Amino acid sequence: QVQLVESGGGLVQAGGSLRLSCAASGSIFSINAMGWYRQTPGKQRDLVARITTGGSTNYADSVKGRFTISRDNAKNTVYLQMNSLKPEDTAVYYCNANTKTTYTRVTRDYWGQGTQVTVSS
């Protein structure tokens, strides 16, 4: 199967920066879009940023101009650079990869375990 391992979360003061990383491994034939989502208690998981294999990106309005998503296709890794962080960015951040596996050639979404980002005011 496919595993996504996130890193880079933590506690930061408002105005600070964090960089999240997510590495995909396992029986990967190809990865289509990769993205970052976030969720707070009692709320749905929302898209933060998404990037295609070719590098096209889209962002939630609330993070435009502050967050930047990028990927290294050779390493099956996606990054999220978060600048000018605000307390309302506090959430668990989840990595997502739309992946076709080697043996079954079935394409579906895979998720990481989540990493906590806390922004203090």
Side-chain angles (χ1 to χ4, degrees):
Q1 290 297 327
V2 176
Q3 299 82 38
L4 301 181
V5 178
E6 299 136 336
S7 61
L11 173 64
V12 65
Q13 288 188 332
S17 298
L18 284 174
R19 187 185 193 222
L20 306 183
S21 299
C22 172
S25 62
S27 302
I28 298 170
F29 180 78
S30 62
I31 301 178
N32 301 315
M34 303 183 79
W36 290 93
Y37 292 70
R38 65 188 181 188
Q39 187 172 25
T40 55
K43 295 190 175 182
Q44 68 180 21
R45 190 174 297 184
D46 292 326
L47 174 69
V48 176
R50 181 177 176 272
I51 184 168
T52 67
T53 304
S56 297
T57 59
N58 62 288
Y59 296 90
D61 288 342
S62 60
V63 307
K64 284 180 180 177
R66 300 187 299 121
F67 291 11
T68 302
I69 190 170
S70 60
R71 67 189 281 177
D72 184 333
N73 292 329
K75 296 181 179 180
N76 291 332
T77 300
V78 64
Y79 307 95
L80 186 67
Q81 178 66 44
M82 304 186 293
N83 298 329
S84 302
L85 282 160
K86 304 175 181 180
E88 50 264 43
D89 294 318
T90 296
V92 177
Y93 283 69
Y94 295 92
C95 173
N96 170 274
N98 185 256
T99 304
K100 178 183 287 187
T101 54
T102 301
Y103 300 110
T104 66
R105 299 297 172 96
V106 171
T107 300
R108 73 170 184 90
D109 285 333
Y110 290 86
W111 294 90
Q113 79 285 359
T115 185
Q116 177 70 47
V117 171
T118 303
V119 184
S120 63
S121 57

